[in-house]
Amino acid sequence: MRLDALCLENFRNYALQRIDFDPVCSVICGENAQGKTNLLEAMVCLSCGRSHRTRSERELIRFGEEGYRLEASIHTRDRDFLSRIEAGYGRKKRITINKAPARTAAELSQILNTVFFCPEDLQLIRDGPAARRRFLDISLCQLRPRYAAALAEYQRLHEHKTRILRDCGERPDLVATLPDFNLRMAETGAVLIHYRARFAGLLASYAATAHSECSGGREELTLAYQTVKTVTDPLGGHQQLVGQLLAHQEEHCYAELSSRQCLSGPHKDDLEVQLDGRCARSYASQGQTRTAALSLKLAAREIHREIMGEYPILLLDDVLSELDPRRQEYVLNRLGSGQVFITCCEEDRLHSLLKGTVYRVDGGAVTAG
Ligand code: ATP
Ligand code: MG
């Protein structure tokens, strides 16, 4: 998969800009606040229809303008595609692929996929389980439509059950509806656990390799998928999983009624990250945290290639700061396979870059070379 060219019109601080990219590695250099992250944001929008930074379309429109347009020339599965987004200008947002209207934004991700790493991704290591569950969910939804459907169903059931638990004090008759919710949540929960466990297994092995190589063999990263306590084998059969989830719900039935919260189920799953046998969240240094978070993203990229047969494009925003020269060298030299976009502030860090084109960004204008 390759992003050959990008055209931005009134997007963030870009007025009108067309850029032809390097097929292997594009290094995007510039001072602070010139438009480096905005450029990667445009690529994210073209891969899934929305920004990673904001839900507001208004924010994406260049100050003083009425709308924006984005257009990408993409090569994938031996064919060329043109994906296009137009928003604002007093009309409904329009997405087209090769000039044909797309029904949903999800159609964009059949053409362009991105794995994006930015400084906020350090939360993957530092924050609580929700950040890591989100990472699992986003990665799996891209790869497995059945997972995306099960997740949407599970979230719907979870919200409904939470409302029932909240209201059943005033309306005791609602308690009678809980067994049905529990059964359906166990059925869909078992699907989530199955996919998450398999993904976590692959992730563990790819991320361990990436982290070990990046740290020059000095650190060992281990990942462990943690789910509902009664589950003895997350890779076990469906019926076994359902039975074990129901058993856990039963054990927590009174606790759920008294706390009025949904306590049992894979909505509490975690992916435990350890460095040299110690919890990374509590003990990792800044550089180690960055290396570990990056290793998770690089692993997700490998899994994407394994399942879909092509590398997604890799977007690395400000990845080099806080890394020592050895780790920077690894990041730059590992850019060998698949297309990579990397932003940075200081050009002198790039002495070890083997191949690629440098693009300078200055006030929303990009020049190559
Ligand atoms: P840094 O090195 O600090 O990360 P950057 O080059 O990544 O900088 P961007 O995040 O791309 O910077 O932002 C560049 C500029 O775009 C900022 O000054 C920001 O205020 C401006 N900007 C953001 N949204 C809009 C918009 N809708 N219209 C015009 N300018 C905008
Ligand atoms: Mg930036």
Side-chain angles (χ1 to χ4, degrees), residues 223-234:
L223 295 180
Y225 173 52
Q226 289 173 337
T227 185
V228 178
K229 292 277 181 299
T230 49
V231 171
T232 48
D233 177 14

Side-chain angles (χ1 to χ4, degrees), residues 121-281:
D121 283 319
L122 303 183
Q123 293 167 355
L124 266 177
I125 308 300
R126 287 193 184 139
D127 282 11
R132 286 176 292 280
R133 273 198 306 274
R134 237 187 106 230
F135 170 64
L136 286 178
D137 287 342
I138 290 174
S139 308
L140 274 163
C141 284
Q142 272 197 23
L143 295 168
R144 302 290 189 199
R146 198 169 158 239
Y147 181 87
L151 182 66
E153 172 70 359
Y154 187 87
Q155 284 169 341
R156 196 183 62 78
L157 292 166
H158 176 254
E159 272 170 35
H160 202 155
K161 181 175 165 184
T162 305
R163 275 204 305 278
I164 292 173
L165 287 167
R166 195 191 55 205
D167 298 341
C168 67
E170 293 76 46
R171 287 191 51 199
D173 58 304
L174 287 175
V175 175
T177 64
L178 285 176
D180 181 45
F181 275 95
N182 284 343
L183 180 61
R184 285 194 285 161
M185 281 177 82
E187 292 274 359
T188 25
V191 176
L192 300 187
I193 290 173
H194 169 83
Y195 279 108
R196 284 179 181 174
R198 293 191 57 181
F199 186 80
L202 289 172
L203 204 63
S205 108
Y206 282 122
T209 307
H211 194 101
S212 159
E213 285 175 10
C214 187
S215 63
R218 281 191 284 186
E219 290 160 18
E220 190 192 12
L221 176 92
T222 44
L223 295 180
Y225 173 52
Q226 289 173 337
T227 185
V228 178
K229 292 277 181 299
T230 49
V231 171
T232 48
D233 177 14
L235 291 166
H238 183 74
Q239 282 317 321
Q240 180 185 322
L241 279 175
V242 173
Q244 291 174 339
L245 291 178
L246 286 171
H248 192 267
Q249 286 169 345
E250 204 153 305
E251 278 173 28
H252 292 77
C253 173
Y254 288 107
E256 285 190 333
L257 284 169
S258 57
S259 68
R260 296 192 173 188
Q261 281 176 26
C262 189
L263 303 173
S264 172
H267 54 279
K268 297 200 163 283
D269 282 0
D270 195 4
L271 188 66
E272 197 193 25
V273 184
Q274 293 197 334
L275 281 180
D276 296 331
R278 289 200 183 83
C279 173
R281 195 179 163 193

Side-chain angles (χ1 to χ4, degrees), residues 32-33 35-38 53 119 317-318 343:
N32 292 135
K36 301 181 297 297
T37 302
N38 293 347
R53 282 205 279 196
D317 194 13
D318 201 11
T343 71

Side-chain angles (χ1 to χ4, degrees), residues 3-132:
L3 174 62
D4 288 325
L6 181 64
C7 190
L8 310 97
E9 190 181 322
N10 294 330
F11 182 85
R12 293 281 191 189
N13 67 332
Y14 289 88
L16 183 61
Q17 179 72 54
R18 187 193 149 89
I19 314 148
D20 292 298
F21 289 113
D22 189 294
V24 178
C25 179
S26 300
V27 181
I28 297 152
C29 284
E31 293 177 359
N32 292 135
Q34 301 307 307
K36 301 181 297 297
T37 302
N38 293 347
L39 201 61
L40 300 190
E41 184 180 29
M43 298 178 195
V44 172
C45 287
L46 282 157
S47 74
C48 63
R50 58 191 163 78
S51 158
H52 63 285
R53 282 205 279 196
T54 176
R55 283 174 180 277
S56 146
E57 290 287 338
R58 183 78 238 165
E59 261 178 56
L60 303 177
I61 302 171
R62 187 170 139 90
F63 302 147
E65 300 293 337
E66 294 303 313
Y68 72 83
R69 294 188 184 92
L70 292 175
E71 199 172 273
S73 307
I74 299 146
H75 186 83
T76 177
R77 303 185 293 269
D78 298 322
R79 285 179 59 197
D80 290 318
F81 292 88
L82 192 70
S83 293
R84 201 163 186 279
I85 302 176
E86 190 179 300
Y89 301 112
R91 285 184 291 176
K92 216 170 140 250
K93 184 170 170 180
R94 283 168 308 288
I95 297 172
T96 57
I97 293 162
N98 289 346
K99 304 216 166 123
R103 267 174 294 119
T104 64
E107 287 183 36
L108 288 169
S109 59
Q110 290 162 20
I111 313 292
L112 183 68
N113 297 117
T114 53
V115 165
F116 183 53
F117 179 85
C118 62
E120 291 85 67
D121 283 319
L122 303 183
Q123 293 167 355
L124 266 177
I125 308 300
R126 287 193 184 139
D127 282 11
R132 286 176 292 280

